[in-house]
């Protein structure tokens, strides 16, 4: 398997997406080692001194005023990790955990955290040799860092906690042993460096953006199919309309849809003599809505790329000045905002797609398509309840899109009195994307069925290719059959990008 070599401070979204999608092992560029060792030397010196330095020779949080003697600094760090392993809930997915580990390497690699190089090598070794810590999903409020989940990750480094190795769940020490690795006791500040940070929230937020971007590309295809299915107009896609407004995503979405619909015989068949003057908004305003969502996703991606390259623990070692300074880079507010923005984009892509589904199944609005897209309505219900499912998922995503960063609450005896809630703000994106994939999958099924009802008129070549990809997995609906499998297969084709690729959609990607 390929190993990615990463340069701290200069990692791209494309590299991060590969780690997420392909679960690649990573190493830091060796050029990062001098700065890492220089900061570790400053911490080692401070630990032996008399000056109180937060987290080095003091307690934590509200207990920061308590001095810790030099002989107890190792115990201090060990106790920190064990006491902070307080997460609950289901274990987070393997690819998210590995992305989180890579993000922690990048943060430590900036040379401002004061950890030894041997810990960098151990974390790299765990990624290379398939040691994946068991990390519960719940417990972080997004400041002071993602403490609980990162503590569960770090526990394995010291031979505690649990980890998966080659698919088997083991005690942390045993997982390391089977991989030919050995735990390392933590020195001054090292435990704090590992758990003070935004890597849990950032990993989930990145995954949310990556999956939402794939869905957005698929939505351009399903929306173009829906346009042809109801014999909608392409006049609202004219480039001058969109350049007069100027939003990049809108211009791009309209361009892609024009290309997708170019050459459609269905479209040409009703350019003249069509009694309809305007299509409903869900057809006419697709570039304005999906394009706006694309702009939001790109903005969120830029924020998260910056965060992925950041040093986010506390205190930070300023090697140039030889100082150890307390700050607040652990506060995940930027990540929380990015997650909230992404949630809004996911919700809106799904909301307008669901209205297109409703349009197609309604014989009053679908321009002569049979009710619920079944050839024999009455005896068969066709896509009646699939549309209801899409409405349920749309509504659920609307509720999930409620902002999380505004929901601060004081913690840790009011020492940490404003928090970001970025962790569950980012974590909900996985559920929202799954809902969106199913909404778009249902639209794909309905739109393909609608286009096929227009025979002998054909849609465009790119959209024919999309239907062909669908029909290789889901046959056209004749008599009613068990619907669940069809919905899952269609959602999978949305999620893995098959439909977008089959139609030739290749947007200029923010993750290049």
């Amino acid at each position: 398997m390929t190993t990615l070599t990463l340069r701290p401070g200069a990692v791209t979204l494309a590299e991060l997406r590969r780690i997420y999608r392909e679960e690649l092992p990573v190493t830091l560029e060796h050029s990062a080692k001098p700065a890492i060792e220089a900061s570790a030397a400053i911490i080692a010196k401070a630990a032996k001194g008399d000056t109180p330095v937060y987290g080095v020779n003091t307690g934590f949080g509200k207990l920061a005023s308590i001095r810790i003697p030099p002989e107890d600094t190792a115990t201090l760090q060990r106790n920190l990790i064990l006491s902070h392993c307080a997460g609950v809930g289901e274990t987070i997915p393997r690819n998210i955990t590995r992305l989180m580990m890579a993000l922690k390497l990048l943060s430590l690699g900036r040379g401002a955290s004061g950890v030894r190089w041997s810990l960098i090598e151990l974390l790299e070794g765990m990624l290379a040799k398939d040691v994946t810590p068991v990390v519960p999903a719940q417990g972080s409020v997004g400041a002071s860092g993602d403490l609980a989940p990162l503590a569960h990750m770090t526990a394995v480094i010291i031979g505690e906690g649990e980890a998966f190795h080659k698919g088997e769940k083991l005690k942390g020490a045993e997982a390391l042993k089977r991989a030919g690795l050995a735990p390392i006791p933590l020195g001054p500040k090292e435990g704090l460096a590992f758990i003070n940070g935004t890597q849990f929230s950032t990993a989930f937020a990145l995954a949310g953006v990556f999956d939402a971007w794939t869905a957005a590309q698929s939505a351009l295809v399903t929306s173009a199919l829906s346009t042809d299915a109801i014999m909608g107009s392409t006049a609202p896609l004219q480039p001058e309309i969109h350049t007069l407004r100027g939003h990049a995503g809108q211009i791009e979405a309209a361009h892609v849809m024009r290309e997708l619909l170019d050459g459609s015989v269905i479209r040409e068949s009703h350019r003249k003599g069509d009694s309809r003057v305007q299509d409903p908004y869900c057809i006419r305003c697709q570039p304005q809505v999906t394009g706006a969502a694309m702009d939001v996703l790109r903005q969120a991606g830029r924020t998260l790329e910056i965060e992925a390259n950041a040093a986010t623990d506390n205190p930070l070692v300023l090697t140039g000045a030889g100082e150890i300074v307390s700050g607040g880079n652990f506060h995940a507010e930027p990540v929380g905002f990015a997650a909230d923005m992404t949630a809004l984009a996911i919700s809106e892509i799904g909301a307008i797609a669901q209205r297109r589904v409703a349009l197609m199944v309604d014989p009053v609005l679908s321009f002569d398509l049979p009710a619920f897209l079944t050839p024999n309505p009455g005896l068969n219900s066709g896509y009646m309840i699939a549309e209801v499912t899409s409405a349920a998922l749309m509504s659920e995503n609307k509720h999930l899109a409620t902002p999380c960063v505004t929901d601060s609450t004081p913690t840790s005896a009011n020492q940490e009195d404003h928090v970001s809630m970025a962790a569950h703000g980012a974590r909900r994106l996985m559920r929202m994307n799954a809902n969106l994939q199913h909404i778009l999958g249902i639209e794909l099924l309905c739109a393909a069925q609608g286009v096929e009802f227009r025979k002998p008129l054909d849609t465009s070549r790119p959209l024919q290719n999309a239907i062909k990809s669908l029909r290789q997995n889901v046959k056209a609906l004749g008599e009613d059959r068990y619907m669940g499998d069809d919905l899952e297969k269609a959602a999978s084709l949305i999620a893995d990008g098959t439909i977008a690729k089959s139609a030739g959609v290749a947007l200029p990607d923010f993750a290049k």
Side-chain angles (χ1 to χ4, degrees):
M1 180 181 289
T2 301
T3 297
L4 279 183
T5 300
L6 305 177
R7 177 181 297 178
V11 169
T12 66
L13 286 172
E15 290 171 313
L16 295 167
R17 186 170 59 181
R18 288 195 68 194
I19 297 167
Y20 170 59
R21 297 272 192 227
E22 302 172 42
E23 299 187 9
L24 298 178
V26 304
T27 59
L28 297 185
E29 278 192 2
H30 207 70
S31 60
K33 185 175 182 180
I36 292 172
E37 292 185 326
S39 68
I42 292 173
I43 291 294
K45 181 179 179 181
K48 297 175 183 177
D50 296 325
T51 303
V53 179
Y54 175 71
V56 177
N57 52 18
T58 73
F60 305 104
K62 198 74 171 181
L63 306 176
S65 60
I66 299 176
R67 289 291 304 277
I68 307 298
E71 62 271 19
D72 288 335
T73 55
T75 302
L76 174 71
Q77 299 299 314
R78 179 180 176 81
N79 288 348
L80 173 72
I81 300 305
L82 298 179
S83 67
H84 283 51
C85 286
V88 299
E90 63 186 13
T91 301
I92 68 174
R94 168 190 161 91
N95 58 348
I96 299 286
T97 304
R98 289 178 63 86
L99 179 57
M100 179 178 74
M101 294 164 71
L103 291 170
K104 178 52 71 176
L105 276 172
L106 288 169
S107 181
L108 299 176
R110 293 300 300 273
S113 299
V115 303
R116 291 165 291 166
W117 183 255
S118 58
L119 286 166
I120 301 292
E121 292 177 320
L122 178 53
L123 200 52
E124 291 174 342
M126 290 167 63
L127 285 167
K129 298 185 177 182
D130 194 21
V131 177
T132 307
V134 174
V135 178
Q138 295 168 282
S140 173
V141 294
S144 153
D146 294 318
L147 296 171
L150 289 172
H152 283 275
M153 179 195 79
T154 309
V156 178
I157 289 173
I158 63 173
E160 298 288 346
E162 295 179 310
F164 290 101
H165 178 60
K166 299 189 182 301
E168 185 178 358
K169 187 176 180 181
L170 304 164
K171 293 295 185 182
E174 180 63 21
L176 291 176
K177 181 180 178 181
R178 292 196 189 183
L181 302 170
I184 298 177
L186 299 173
K189 190 190 173 292
E190 289 177 332
L192 195 59
F194 270 88
I195 69 171
N196 240 221
T198 66
Q199 288 75 39
F200 175 91
S201 299
T202 304
F204 269 102
L206 282 166
V209 170
F210 295 149
D211 290 345
W213 186 255
T214 300
Q217 294 182 82
S218 301
L220 295 175
V221 179
T222 59
S223 62
L225 274 169
S226 296
T227 300
D228 244 8
I230 61 102
M231 300 186 93
S233 174
T234 55
L237 300 177
Q238 290 184 37
E240 292 81 4
I241 293 174
H242 306 286
T243 55
L244 279 169
R245 196 173 198 187
H247 292 296
Q250 177 180 328
I251 293 168
E252 192 173 24
H255 171 76
V256 170
M257 290 190 67
R258 285 196 306 274
E259 299 253 315
L260 286 170
L261 286 159
D262 185 43
S264 168
V265 179
I266 295 174
R267 173 62 187 120
E268 296 305 319
S269 72
H270 62 97
R271 281 191 185 274
K272 296 180 180 180
D274 194 328
S275 61
R276 297 169 298 174
V277 177
Q278 292 182 330
D279 292 318
Y281 288 180
C282 66
I283 298 296
R284 195 179 353 143
C285 300
Q286 292 170 95
Q288 287 83 354
V289 176
T290 304
M294 288 159 52
D295 283 338
V296 167
L297 292 174
R298 282 194 169 110
Q299 184 178 347
R302 285 192 292 270
T303 296
L304 295 172
E305 185 176 61
I306 292 169
E307 188 72 10
N309 283 287
T312 58
D313 67 282
N314 179 64
L316 291 173
V317 183
L318 310 181
T319 53
E323 296 177 346
I324 304 170
V325 182
S326 287
N329 281 4
F330 51 74
H331 201 297
E333 196 81 356
V335 182
F337 276 122
D340 282 348
M341 291 164 55
T342 302
L344 292 171
I346 293 169
S347 181
E348 282 299 275
I349 294 170
I352 194 170
Q354 198 284 325
R355 297 316 304 153
R356 295 190 294 266
V357 173
L359 189 71
M360 287 185 285
V361 300
D362 187 341
V364 176
L365 301 174
S366 65
F367 204 58
D368 299 327
L369 290 175
F372 303 107
L373 299 167
T374 175
N376 190 10
L379 180 62
N380 294 285
S381 296
Y383 286 108
M384 179 189 293
I385 304 305
E387 185 271 329
V388 173
T389 296
S390 73
L393 297 174
M394 174 190 68
S395 181
E396 184 175 310
N397 271 2
K398 287 179 180 178
H399 286 278
L400 289 170
T402 301
C404 293
V405 293
T406 55
D407 191 29
S408 176
T409 188
T411 61
S412 193
N414 283 302
Q415 175 71 9
E416 298 157 9
D417 58 354
H418 183 279
V419 298
S420 70
M421 297 299 179
H424 69 264
R427 190 163 48 83
R428 70 180 153 161
L429 300 179
M430 182 170 289
R431 179 177 168 189
M432 292 187 71
N433 272 317
N435 289 344
L436 176 57
Q437 289 155 6
H438 282 86
I439 293 170
L440 295 176
I442 293 168
E443 182 183 17
L444 174 64
L445 292 168
C446 291
Q449 186 94 346
V451 165
E452 289 168 338
F453 275 124
R454 301 297 181 187
K455 293 287 187 181
L457 302 178
D458 285 325
T459 188
S460 67
R461 180 62 60 186
L463 295 182
Q464 288 182 50
N465 291 337
I467 293 174
K468 182 179 178 180
S469 288
L470 172 64
R471 293 295 175 237
Q472 289 171 351
N473 295 272
V474 181
K475 65 181 181 180
L477 184 63
E479 298 300 308
D480 282 349
R481 61 173 182 258
Y482 182 75
M483 185 66 69
D485 290 343
D486 292 0
L487 268 57
E488 292 304 320
K489 289 175 182 176
S492 179
L493 293 172
I494 297 293
D496 66 12
T498 295
I499 292 302
K501 291 173 188 173
S502 66
V505 174
L507 296 175
D509 200 330
F510 66 77
K512 280 188 177 178

